[in-house]
Amino acid sequence: MTAPILRLHNITRDFSDGIQIRRVLHETTLEFSPGEFTIIAGPSGSGKTTLLTIIGLILSPTGGEVYLRDEQLTGYSESRLATVRLHNYGFVFQLAELLPALSVLENVIVGKGIQGKPVTSSFKKKACDLLESLGLQDCIHMRPLQLSGGQKQRVAIARALINEPAVMLCDEPTSALDAESSTIVLDSLKRLSKDPTRCIIMVTHDPRVFPYADRLIKIENGEIISDSKNLEESTLQ
């Protein structure tokens, strides 16, 4: 059995308004395996975004532990967590957040320059090959304003993938897209999730996305109410 890339053990999260402490995420234990496209679904305020930001090491849990492979990350400093994110995570947000002054290719490789590292010709070729695999070979030298919403999101996917992350997190990446563009983006994510070195985790409130999931987790009021992986395991026993 393949070892999980990511594990959450008894994760909780509380928020305080200065008067009252409110628990927005109750004890949550989950594992995420490579080659798996997991969708976490729930209505607004359900806790799905809180869960995603804890998974992404952006928000610290109030209790519990986060493990990347066998490394326990809870309690790391912000700078150390940033290093872990840099080398292991890719992010795709609701809006592509591309830099308008840069070309598509430059938007994909910009992170390397920000890190102060040289952008080699082999790295540029890697980016071009990645864009071609996402059907964007004719857009490499275009600016973001020349792209459709679906094309922008695929550029954002390429940017997230360029450093070959073990964990790719997607926050409502199709919510601002029309049906056709949404299908193209979801087909791309589904195909990319089959890489045996990577897991893709996406949060959404849109039930039209559910059929793409290898695993569907539903959350309400900060609690996991169903997990299709558990259902599959129970039928095998």
Side-chain angles (χ1 to χ4, degrees), residues 167-194:
V167 182
M168 186 168 170
L169 303 181
C170 307
D171 187 4
E172 303 267 13
T174 61
S175 63
L177 302 181
D178 59 48
E180 182 179 358
S181 297
S182 179
T183 297
I184 294 171
V185 168
L186 288 166
D187 284 341
S188 297
L189 289 172
K190 181 72 171 180
R191 175 173 53 81
L192 292 165
S193 71
K194 298 310 172 188

Side-chain angles (χ1 to χ4, degrees), residues 42-69:
S44 296
S46 62
K48 63 183 185 296
T49 300
T50 298
L51 179 57
L52 191 75
T53 52
I54 289 174
I55 290 171
L57 311 180
I58 296 168
L59 185 68
S60 297
T62 302
E65 300 88 38
V66 178
Y67 296 84
L68 181 65
R69 301 184 183 91

Side-chain angles (χ1 to χ4, degrees), residues 13-24 26 62:
R13 178 64 197 192
D14 299 336
F15 286 104
S16 173
D17 59 8
I19 301 172
Q20 184 177 357
I21 296 175
R22 182 169 61 96
R23 176 147 292 183
V24 297
H26 297 272
T62 302

Side-chain angles (χ1 to χ4, degrees), residues 1 3 11 16 34 43 68 80 91 93 119 122 125 128 133 147 150 156-157 177 187 201 203 209 217:
M1 190 173 182
I11 290 294
S16 173
L68 181 65
R80 194 170 180 187
F91 295 86
F93 303 103
V119 179
S122 62
K125 183 180 186 306
C128 288
S133 74
L147 305 178
I157 291 169
L177 302 181
D187 284 341
I201 304 168
V203 299
V209 175
I217 297 171

Side-chain angles (χ1 to χ4, degrees), residues 123-141:
F123 191 75
K124 286 183 180 179
K125 183 180 186 306
K126 178 181 177 181
C128 288
D129 290 345
L130 189 52
L131 288 165
E132 183 175 355
S133 74
L134 290 164
L136 296 168
Q137 61 272 12
D138 296 329
C139 305
I140 287 173
H141 301 295

Side-chain angles (χ1 to χ4, degrees), residues 26-37:
H26 297 272
E27 288 81 1
T28 299
T29 296
L30 293 168
E31 294 184 348
F32 299 95
S33 300
E36 186 176 72
F37 186 17

